Amino acid sequence: MLCYVILFAIAWAIGWFLRDRQTISRLSDKHVFITGCDTGFGNLLARRLNKKGFQVLAGCLTEKGANDLQKACPTGLKTTLLNVTNPDSIRKAVEWVKAEVGDRGLYGLVNNAGVANPIGPTEWMTLGDYRKVMEVNTFGTIGVTLAFLPLVKQTQGRIVNMASVLGRLSANGGGYCVSKYAVEAFSDSLRRDLQHFGVKVCIIEPGFFKTAVTDLDSIEHSLRQLWDQMPPETKKSYGDVYYQKYMKVQRLIMNFICDTDISKVPKCIEHALQAVYPRTRYSPGWDAKLVWLPASYMPAFIVDAVLALVLPKPAQRVH
C-alpha cells in the first residue's frame, strides 16, 4: 500500500512540475500594461518583459522615470505618465492604451504601484496617514483594474495584483498591512467573478526586498515626523527610550531580512503572465516562505507573544 502511495505522490509531483512549466506562445502579439515603473519591481519587470518580446506599456509617476525607462528600452516598450490615485490620469492612460493595442485588446495588467510610509505604532498614526497609503495601494489597484477590465476581457487575459506577505500577517501599524489585506480580498473576489470570462487573476505576496519601499532613511524620516507631530500626552506614554529602541529594532530587522535580489519578484510576475496554468498566489523571498507565511497559520497568541518580545515596551505600559 505504501508503495502505491509513494508512486502516486511521485506521479503527481511530476505532473504538477510539467504542468507548471507550460507557457504561452507568440509573446510579440501580447500587450502588457504595468503601473509603478519608475523604479523597483515595476521598472525591472518592464525591462525583462521587453527582452522576452512582450509589447510593454509602462505607467510611470514621473517624467524622469518615464524618460529613463524609454531610453533603456527604445524598442518594444512605450511609457506614459500615470498617477493611480487620480481618476483623470487613469482615464487618460486607458485611452492611451486603447490607441496602442487597437482591436487586439490588453493581454496583461500588472498593478504594481505602491507605497509603504508611514508605518509604525498604530497610535502614532492619523486617519490621513491611512488614507495616504490606501489611496495608492488599495484604491489605486481597484480603480486601475476596473478601468482596464474591458480591454483585458477582450483577450481573456491576465491581471496580476501586487499584495504582500504582510497582507496575510499584520506585523506593524499604519496603512500598509491594511491596504495589502484589502488587495488580497479584492483579488480573490475578482478572480472568482472573472473566471467565467476566461480572465485569470494572480496575487504576488513578496517578502522584504531592498527597494524604495524599504529604504531605511525614508522609513526613519517618516517615523521621526510621526513622533514629532504626536500629542505630548501620547508621546509621554511611550517615552523617548521607546522611540530610540523602535528605530533600532526597525533598522536591525530591515538589514537582516531584506533580500537584495529583487529579480525574484519580477520572475514570479513573468510566470503569472506566461504560464498556461498560472498559480493563484506567488510568495517570493526567503522570509515570506520561512517566516511570514508559516507565522500567518499559527495561533494569534503565539505571534503576539513573539512580536511583543521583539518590539520595545512603552514607558507607561500596564505591568
Side-chain angles (χ1 to χ4, degrees), residues 217-266:
D217 290 338
S218 174
I219 291 172
E220 291 181 358
H221 176 71
S222 175
L223 280 170
R224 166 57 71 179
Q225 286 185 318
L226 293 174
W227 179 255
D228 289 342
Q229 73 186 16
M230 211 182 308
E233 62 274 15
T234 306
K235 189 181 292 187
K236 182 180 178 182
S237 70
Y238 284 89
D240 290 331
V241 174
Y242 179 94
Y243 170 72
Q244 296 299 332
K245 285 184 177 179
Y246 192 93
M247 295 280 271
K248 184 178 180 180
V249 169
Q250 190 88 314
R251 204 173 297 122
L252 287 171
I253 291 175
M254 288 298 184
N255 286 329
F256 173 70
I257 270 186
C258 281
D259 195 329
T260 57
D261 183 10
I262 70 169
S263 69
K264 292 175 182 176
V265 176

Side-chain angles (χ1 to χ4, degrees), residues 80-238:
T80 190
L81 295 180
L82 172 65
N83 180 347
V84 300
T85 69
N86 186 322
D88 189 53
S89 180
I90 294 174
R91 180 187 58 77
K92 289 178 180 178
V94 171
E95 293 304 315
W96 177 76
V97 170
K98 281 182 180 178
E100 293 294 332
V101 304
D103 296 333
R104 287 168 293 183
L106 182 65
Y107 171 74
L109 170 63
V110 181
N111 284 301
N112 166 74
V115 296
N117 286 326
I119 56 174
T122 300
E123 195 178 9
W124 296 18
M125 305 290 161
T126 66
L127 187 57
D129 293 329
Y130 280 87
R131 284 196 176 115
K132 177 182 176 182
V133 176
M134 296 189 72
E135 280 293 335
V136 178
N137 296 358
T138 304
F139 298 114
T141 294
I142 294 172
V144 169
T145 300
L146 294 178
F148 279 94
L149 263 183
L151 290 174
V152 179
K153 285 172 66 178
Q154 189 177 334
T155 65
Q156 297 181 15
R158 311 282 172 88
I159 297 174
V160 183
N161 290 334
M162 183 68 73
S164 168
V165 75
L166 294 185
R168 293 215 192 186
L169 182 90
S170 189
N172 54 259
Y176 186 76
C177 295
V178 177
S179 71
K180 295 304 184 179
Y181 267 77
V183 170
E184 293 271 356
F186 171 69
S187 301
D188 279 338
S189 58
L190 183 70
R191 183 183 66 255
R192 290 159 186 152
D193 292 337
L194 295 185
Q195 63 181 330
H196 306 292
F197 301 99
V199 175
K200 295 179 173 63
V201 179
C202 303
I203 306 169
I204 311 297
E205 303 172 332
F208 285 65
F209 287 86
K210 281 196 177 296
T211 66
V213 169
T214 57
D215 177 66
L216 271 173
D217 290 338
S218 174
I219 291 172
E220 291 181 358
H221 176 71
S222 175
L223 280 170
R224 166 57 71 179
Q225 286 185 318
L226 293 174
W227 179 255
D228 289 342
Q229 73 186 16
M230 211 182 308
E233 62 274 15
T234 306
K235 189 181 292 187
K236 182 180 178 182
S237 70
Y238 284 89

Side-chain angles (χ1 to χ4, degrees), residues 57-89:
L57 305 173
C60 298
L61 181 62
T62 65
E63 286 190 15
K64 183 181 184 305
N67 292 336
D68 289 348
L69 182 56
Q70 189 66 77
K71 289 176 184 177
C73 305
T75 59
L77 181 148
K78 295 183 179 180
T79 62
T80 190
L81 295 180
L82 172 65
N83 180 347
V84 300
T85 69
N86 186 322
D88 189 53
S89 180

Side-chain angles (χ1 to χ4, degrees), residues 43-62:
N43 187 277
L44 182 56
L45 175 66
R47 294 167 186 254
R48 290 176 65 95
L49 293 184
N50 177 247
K51 287 183 179 179
K52 283 181 173 289
F54 280 101
Q55 299 297 314
V56 180
L57 305 173
C60 298
L61 181 62
T62 65

